[in-house]
Amino acid sequence: MRQFILALDQGTTSSRAILFDRDGRVAGCAQQEFPQHFPQPGWVEHDALDIWNSQLACAREVLRTAGIVPQQLAAIGIANQRETTIVWDRASGAPIAPAIVWQDRRTAEACEQVRAQGRAGLIQQKTGLELDAYFSATKLQWLLDHVPGARARAERGELAFGTVDSWLGFKLCGRHVTDVSNASRTMLFNIHTMRWDEELLDLFGVPAALLPEVVSSSGQVGLTQAEWLGHPVPIAGIAGDQQAATFGQACHRKGMVKNTYGTGCFMLMHAGELPPQSRNRLLATVGWRIGGRTDYLLEGSVFMGGATVQWLRDGLGIIRQSSDVEALATSVPDSGGVMLVPAFAGLGAPYWDPYARGAIVGMTRGTTAAHIARAAVEAIAFQSAVLLEAMQKDADCPVAEVRADGGAARNDLLMQFQADLLGVPVVRPQVTETTALGAAYLAGLAVGFWQSREEIAAQWHVDRRFEPSMPPERSAALMAGWRRAVETVKSWAA
């Protein structure tokens, strides 16, 4: 029978299941959105059972619609929204509270208290991360302190903590594991020793009994229970979504850069086999571990990328569906001087300001919905351009190109404007589902479906290359205007 790899791509707003053949081509896809919950300003929650049920439904649907039986699956790879924090009962498998999503800012004050203790430097040195509510540690601490009885139950070993990969793995095969890339996003994992760090566990009051076993990104961790897909299938690849996308983009060599345009935007540069040190408030993170070799990445995070377009749709109602934004934005020649700073969940790298809030500046009586739509698209590019500037300073080497992926990478207006701001080509591959593809590649390598990274890299092909066309002085002026706009929103809610 012809074989495939099934990638489970569990994202912030939807779950997807994608089948890949040996040539790295999509053989089937299913997707399902699930509810987002905003119980208080700055809070973002998911029902962990919604995550599980939607992901399982997608896996079953893609097999059914593609006419593939589970015996044809060589392996499953998991890619997941990172940092989102789930605690569940080990015996029943039931979550004890809603999942706290990576965008959630409720623990910003807790981070400030840790900063006041002078521990931010220690955290950055051990984890490669900025002290911020973005990461899992303070979210987990909050759950232990606010769910009645949770801390005592955790200390007795009755509860399990995990990011979404751990949750899905537990539900699928009963094992409590996470891979090195996801562990490195918790603010509890030492990226030098590659272990959970006792000093950090003590700092955040996290019992070690809660934690999953840390495994390689490529390697068999268990078989799915037959009831889920009708036949046991090995889970053989796990990675956080951005690390998976970097691997799927074949950024396997030092200095290669990709940018994912999803709910947020995440720019990552391959940094080699040693943890990098950022001087510009970027993150050092584990990329993946394969066969005993660990690759590291330098990362910049934008919290509101495609989510900004979703806000135009759901919040303002000026478009009916997200894909309508390009036509509306291109109906005007430029933004008419309007700039939209989408700091709805604070500002990520390199600012790390949890108290920033969104704003639209530069409006006049002539401003229309089209100008605001154009400003929203351009905001995605502005935020990413700031990241590349910081990345090039840290890496001290020129970037030859940026490989783009994610849903918004299909927006030609955005891709061209991004190339103009960066001053380097932006390259869109034929397969833009690189998050799922990376998870598939990691799983396929573990079971011999693919033999090497070189074989994988040979499957990467260009769809379109966007060359910079804007005069440098014009892009510099636009970037200066963006920085001025950002200054207006900093610390707004402090």
Side-chain angles (χ1 to χ4, degrees):
M1 289 187 294
R2 189 179 177 206
Q3 287 195 305
F4 302 88
I5 301 290
L6 174 62
L8 305 181
D9 180 6
Q10 205 301 300
T12 308
T13 57
S14 69
S15 297
R16 293 188 299 171
I18 303 180
L19 289 164
F20 291 96
D21 64 16
R22 290 189 186 275
D23 295 322
R25 292 181 300 212
V26 174
C29 179
Q31 182 169 351
Q32 188 176 118
E33 289 194 9
F34 59 91
Q36 310 289 301
H37 302 283
F38 311 99
Q40 296 185 36
W43 289 31
V44 188
E45 295 180 346
H46 291 158
D47 183 330
L49 292 176
D50 285 342
I51 291 174
W52 160 242
N53 290 327
S54 62
Q55 189 64 78
L56 178 62
C58 288
R60 288 171 168 170
E61 181 185 346
V62 76
L63 294 180
R64 179 180 56 81
T65 56
I68 290 170
V69 296
Q71 290 86 343
Q72 290 178 265
L73 298 178
I76 291 173
I78 297 173
N80 58 283
Q81 54 165 312
R82 305 172 302 172
E83 298 95 20
T84 294
T85 300
I86 305 171
V87 178
W88 65 92
D89 182 287
R90 288 185 184 274
S92 69
I96 68 166
I100 302 180
V101 180
W102 58 272
Q103 297 165 315
D104 190 282
R105 309 308 293 170
R106 77 185 67 179
T107 60
E109 186 176 338
C111 289
E112 292 308 310
Q113 292 172 0
V114 175
R115 191 181 307 279
Q117 298 170 17
R119 311 303 288 275
L122 171 78
I123 291 167
Q124 196 278 334
Q125 189 277 321
K126 285 177 177 262
T127 69
L129 307 177
E130 287 283 327
L131 172 58
D132 193 80
Y134 175 27
F135 306 106
S136 308
T138 55
K139 301 180 193 301
L140 176 54
Q141 183 183 43
W142 190 95
L143 287 170
L144 294 177
D145 289 340
H146 288 81
V147 177
R151 184 169 294 281
R153 295 184 65 203
E155 290 171 351
R156 292 196 300 266
E158 297 173 8
L159 303 180
F161 150 74
T163 43
V164 171
D165 61 309
S166 295
W167 170 240
L168 294 179
F170 183 85
K171 298 295 283 185
L172 285 166
C173 73
R175 284 197 67 190
H176 185 210
V177 301
T178 190
D179 92 297
V180 291
S181 72
N182 280 295
S184 75
R185 308 297 296 190
T186 61
M187 215 157 66
L188 299 170
F189 187 76
N190 190 315
I191 64 171
H192 304 275
T193 65
M194 299 297 284
R195 297 179 183 276
W196 299 117
D197 192 275
E198 291 184 7
E199 188 174 8
L200 296 177
L201 296 182
D202 182 65
L203 175 62
F204 292 105
V206 174
L210 272 173
L211 302 174
E213 176 189 353
V214 181
V215 299
S216 292
S217 310
S218 181
Q220 296 192 46
V221 298
L223 294 173
T224 62
Q225 297 170 16
E227 65 182 295
W228 302 131
L229 298 177
H231 184 79
V233 182
I235 299 173
I238 304 173
D241 52 9
Q242 301 314 315
Q243 289 95 328
T246 308
F247 197 79
Q249 282 276 36
C251 291
H252 302 160
R253 300 191 312 277
K254 188 174 182 179
M256 297 183 74
V257 176
K258 75 89 195 173
N259 196 27
T260 294
Y261 298 85
T263 301
C265 292
F266 301 90
M267 184 176 288
L268 288 89
M269 172 187 281
H270 194 295
E273 295 180 51
L274 294 173
Q277 290 286 329
S278 176
R279 302 178 302 278
N280 294 280
R281 305 196 74 185
L282 299 179
L283 308 178
T285 195
V286 176
W288 47 81
R289 185 168 68 197
I290 304 173
R293 169 182 160 181
T294 302
D295 290 40
Y296 291 88
L297 306 172
L298 196 62
E299 176 176 334
S301 310
V302 168
F303 296 155
M304 294 290 292
T308 309
V309 176
Q310 290 176 328
W311 175 72
L312 295 182
R313 180 193 69 189
D314 302 335
L316 294 188
I318 64 174
I319 53 175
R320 294 188 63 182
Q321 53 190 17
S322 295
S323 57
D324 294 340
V325 72
E326 184 172 7
L328 181 59
T330 53
S331 69
V332 290
D334 53 47
S335 70
V338 175
M339 285 196 170
L340 190 163
V341 184
F344 302 111
L347 289 170
Y351 311 103
W352 298 109
D353 183 351
Y355 302 109
R357 290 297 179 264
I360 304 175
V361 299
M363 290 188 293
T364 68
R365 282 290 299 274
T367 298
T368 67
H371 293 109
I372 293 173
R374 179 122 187 173
V377 171
E378 292 181 352
I380 299 171
F382 278 124
Q383 293 175 99
S384 295
V386 172
L387 295 182
L388 189 69
E389 286 181 352
M391 202 164 277
Q392 288 185 303
K393 290 176 183 176
D394 271 345
D396 198 25
C397 66
V399 172
E401 65 181 26
V402 173
R403 295 184 172 186
D405 57 65
R410 293 189 287 270
N411 185 319
D412 290 351
L413 172 65
L414 171 59
M415 293 296 95
Q416 185 58 57
F417 191 68
Q418 186 71 88
D420 289 340
L421 290 182
L422 297 179
V424 299
V426 172
V427 185
R428 183 171 62 204
Q430 290 180 3
V431 177
T432 57
E433 306 295 351
T434 54
T435 298
L437 182 58
Y441 280 150
L442 290 167
L445 283 173
V447 298
F449 194 79
W450 292 290
Q451 300 302 316
S452 67
R453 301 185 198 207
E454 290 73 23
E455 180 185 356
I456 286 170
Q459 294 182 352
W460 187 89
H461 299 292
V462 175
D463 169 61
R464 182 169 172 184
R465 187 177 181 91
F466 296 85
E467 298 284 348
S469 60
M470 184 181 289
E473 60 273 14
R474 172 63 177 156
S475 61
L478 287 170
M479 287 300 300
W482 172 256
R483 292 188 184 92
R484 192 156 61 98
V486 169
E487 288 300 317
T488 69
V489 308
K490 285 183 177 179
S491 301
W492 187 267

